[in-house]
Amino acid sequence: AAHARLASLFQRALRLAPRNADVRAVLGVLYNLSHEYEEAAANFEAALELRPDDYRLWNKLGATLANALQPERALNHYVRA
């Protein structure tokens, strides 16, 4: 229940600030924690479009892909981090 409320709040924040990489990163973490890996990866990728040199985002995307059992893709992102 708390996770759904947090996700809803950050979705609203995203509507207000669609180019905010931090909001995208938080959504990525929330979706990763709830095993919604496609949504998590999409949010990390959107954050990386805004901050392509942020090694933390590359690492989080790699971890998400590893959790989604996509080790080859994950490794590429870990290397980039």
Side-chain angles (χ1 to χ4, degrees), residues 11 43 61:
Q11 285 291 348
N43 277 284
L61 178 55

Side-chain angles (χ1 to χ4, degrees), residues 5-57:
R5 283 194 305 261
L6 276 174
S8 176
L9 287 172
F10 277 93
Q11 285 291 348
R12 262 191 274 161
L14 183 61
R15 285 192 294 277
L16 295 172
R19 297 194 49 80
N20 186 312
D22 292 324
V23 171
R24 289 286 191 173
V26 169
L27 283 167
V29 170
L30 286 172
Y31 287 124
N32 190 10
L33 290 172
S34 64
H35 307 275
E36 297 173 72
Y37 301 122
E38 283 187 38
E39 278 295 319
N43 277 284
F44 288 130
E45 288 167 349
L48 281 163
E49 287 180 21
L50 301 167
R51 288 200 320 239
D53 296 326
D54 189 332
Y55 68 90
R56 294 166 300 182
L57 293 173

